[in-house]
Amino acid sequence: MSKKDDQKSTQVWVDGCFDMVHFGHANAIRQAKQMGNYLIVGVHSDDEIAKHKGPPVFSEKERYKMVRAIKWVDEVVEDAPYVTTLEFLDKFNCDFCVHGDDITTTADGTDTYHLVKNAGRYKECRRTEGVSTTDIVGRMLLMTRTHHLGPEKINKDTVGAISQDHSTRSPWTGVSQFLPTTKKIIQFAEGKEPSPGDRIVYVAGAFDLFHVGHCDFLEKAAAEGDFVIVGLHTDQDVNHYKGANNPIMNLHERVLSVLACRYVSEVVIGAPYSVTADLMDHFKVDLVCHGKTPVMPDEDGSDPYAEPKRRHKFKILDSANDLTTQSIVERIIRNRLDYEARNKKKNEKELNIIKQLKNHKIA
Ligand code: CTP
Ligand code: C5P
């Protein structure tokens, strides 16, 4: 199992809950992959998460699939133990374990990585600031729109209203603003060009709260050709057709989540809502696809897929998955009290660890 073919190759282990997978998780996985040649990701079961953290938002089946779709993952180990053991590292031939530079504890407050740390088989990667499940759940529950705005505006007007003040907020999972940079996009993107003769598939959408329904759809789209281009609609367009505080994740955040998916070759950052002749010619698109979800007309009432249909280059794909961004929001709202309690507990636990670390430094 997971045998190293070459004794000189480095096999890396990462584990986690990966509940509501976001680009922060993908970035940890990306960094871990860079530390070796082969990356194994251990994902905890629902029971294990419920025991230590509270109920997960996504089922283990959904979480296993989401992690498998991240392009830097070579293998997923299901039902990995919450406390990482040396037995597991050895069983899967992993040299060491990687985790972000925050501290995770079990229900009784033990560091989940104490065994691998003591054995010198633990390395850290940099946690991605400004994104966490707690923050994303907060955006859904509070129905805020601040994530559509730039960081300057957020700091001035609204952070106080949507979160606690700095002294009561964990710097690890508390709300803060992600600062998108070109470096991050370069790190996530393949930068690949299609090869001559490649069949180009184009899909467009919001791809908000990038989820397992999107993964299933993109897997089907990838099977239709060789090079999948995803056109991401602007925040204004998504807000126009979805209303309320949508999109939950802004365009920069959605770009990273989609780029991390193994079925995607390229992303158009802010694609026109209607698939135009110009766009199809520019990218030499052979086929445009949409899933079975309803297609909203463009502002003037026209069909956004009229051009590919006219060219007989349009196909509806069945993702065989009925999960939608809206159903995720509804799931969260239904379980609001549980998630709020879970987030509060996590925040308090982290503040406590930070206090202990500070006391330890002073002493
Ligand atoms: N991680 C990260 N950056 C983030 C969030 C998570 O680097 N913004 C890393 C964690 O440090 C860990 C891995 O992703 O190494 C998987 O962690 P998991 O247990 O799923 O995540 P949490 O730390 O609980 O993340 P969140 O609060 O977002 O659920
Ligand atoms: O709704 P959104 O714009 O994010 O959808 C992007 C694409 O993914 C659309 O083509 C949609 O039909 C497809 N999709 C799917 N199955 C799902 C969710 C979305 O095929 N469960």
Side-chain angles (χ1 to χ4, degrees):
M1 201 181 281
S2 315
K3 264 228 152 72
K4 278 189 202 177
D5 298 319
D6 167 7
Q7 280 313 301
K8 277 187 280 204
S9 83
T10 305
Q11 209 146 290
V12 183
W13 173 271
V14 167
D15 54 26
C17 306
F18 300 99
D19 195 17
M20 198 131 57
V21 173
H22 51 65
F23 60 90
H25 295 130
N27 195 33
I29 285 174
R30 182 189 66 79
Q31 293 175 73
K33 177 67 186 264
Q34 283 187 332
M35 297 183 198
N37 321 88
Y38 192 84
L39 180 68
I40 303 186
V41 184
V43 183
H44 311 312
S45 67
D46 293 345
D47 283 352
E48 196 75 341
I49 298 176
K51 206 158 60 188
H52 294 282
K53 204 170 170 180
V57 178
F58 286 93
S59 72
E60 56 200 24
K61 214 170 136 228
E62 292 170 321
R63 292 180 295 104
Y64 298 150
K65 209 174 201 179
M66 277 302 282
V67 175
R68 277 197 181 97
I70 296 176
K71 65 184 177 190
W72 301 285
V73 175
D74 293 305
E75 196 176 321
V76 164
V77 170
E78 302 182 358
D79 194 12
Y82 208 76
V83 173
T84 313
T85 61
L86 297 176
E87 286 76 15
F88 252 72
L89 291 195
D90 291 339
K91 181 173 170 194
F92 293 97
N93 280 307
C94 289
D95 297 82
F96 53 84
C97 160
V98 174
H99 185 261
D101 50 0
D102 54 321
I103 291 185
T104 329
T105 57
T106 60
D108 66 7
T110 315
D111 182 346
T112 45
Y113 296 101
H114 72 281
L115 298 171
V116 286
K117 280 181 182 171
N118 289 342
R121 290 172 72 182
Y122 175 82
K123 291 195 187 189
E124 263 174 10
C125 64
R126 282 191 62 189
R127 199 179 152 87
T128 309
E129 282 178 43
V131 59
S132 67
T133 305
T134 313
D135 171 26
I136 299 168
V137 169
R139 292 182 195 186
M140 295 184 220
L141 292 179
L142 296 160
M143 295 294 281
T144 55
R145 282 178 185 231
T146 52
H147 50 279
H148 296 180
L149 309 171
E152 209 181 287
K153 185 95 179 103
I154 289 221
N155 290 340
K156 261 204 281 180
D157 297 349
T158 38
V159 153
I162 61 168
S163 65
Q164 307 133 301
D165 76 61
H166 284 275
S167 58
T168 55
R169 197 173 86 206
S170 158
W172 294 326
T173 54
V175 178
S176 66
Q177 179 71 2
F178 169 68
L179 298 173
T181 58
T182 50
K183 183 174 161 197
K184 191 101 292 95
I185 293 183
I186 291 167
Q187 287 169 334
F188 272 55
E190 296 280 280
K192 255 195 338 201
E193 296 273 342
S195 305
D198 270 0
R199 188 170 152 82
I200 317 278
V201 179
Y202 180 80
V203 301
F207 292 89
D208 192 16
L209 288 178
F210 193 74
H211 54 69
V212 70
H214 291 135
C215 279
D216 285 336
F217 168 68
L218 290 170
E219 189 179 6
K220 292 268 160 67
E224 294 289 331
D226 310 289
F227 195 91
V228 175
I229 304 176
V230 177
L232 287 179
H233 296 149
T234 63
D235 294 341
Q236 288 93 319
D237 277 353
V238 179
N239 191 250
H240 179 80
Y241 66 81
K242 293 226 166 149
N245 63 337
N246 293 300
I248 304 292
M249 304 298 274
N250 69 36
L251 180 60
H252 297 297
E253 298 172 315
R254 291 184 282 123
V255 167
L256 295 179
S257 297
V258 172
L259 278 176
C261 176
R262 64 170 71 252
Y263 308 116
V264 176
S265 309
E266 179 63 296
V267 167
V268 180
I269 307 173
Y273 186 69
S274 285
V275 180
T276 59
D278 272 357
L279 184 142
M280 291 189 69
D281 294 340
H282 178 85
F283 291 111
K284 301 190 171 52
V285 174
D286 294 295
L287 184 70
V288 176
C289 301
H290 189 93
K292 286 198 141 181
T293 61
V295 176
M296 299 287 285
D298 204 339
E299 269 179 276
D300 61 2
S302 61
D303 176 358
Y305 294 117
E307 181 61 23
K309 281 179 186 168
R310 195 185 61 74
R311 298 185 184 197
H312 304 289
K313 289 182 173 177
F314 180 74
K315 189 169 177 182
I316 294 279
L317 301 177
D318 184 0
S319 67
N321 188 326
D322 59 6
L323 192 68
T324 62
T325 303
Q326 192 50 36
S327 64
I328 296 172
V329 175
E330 281 158 16
R331 243 190 232 191
I332 300 284
I333 291 174
R334 257 198 319 272
N335 296 291
R336 178 180 186 135
L337 292 178
D338 280 349
Y339 297 134
E340 279 178 348
R342 170 182 128 170
N343 292 350
K344 191 162 171 275
K345 199 164 93 188
K346 189 166 190 255
N347 190 62
E348 283 168 3
K349 222 158 86 167
E350 289 181 357
L351 284 174
N352 206 14
I353 296 169
I354 290 168
K355 206 163 105 195
Q356 282 173 19
L357 287 174
K358 275 192 188 146
N359 290 344
H360 188 71
K361 262 192 198 150
I362 293 166

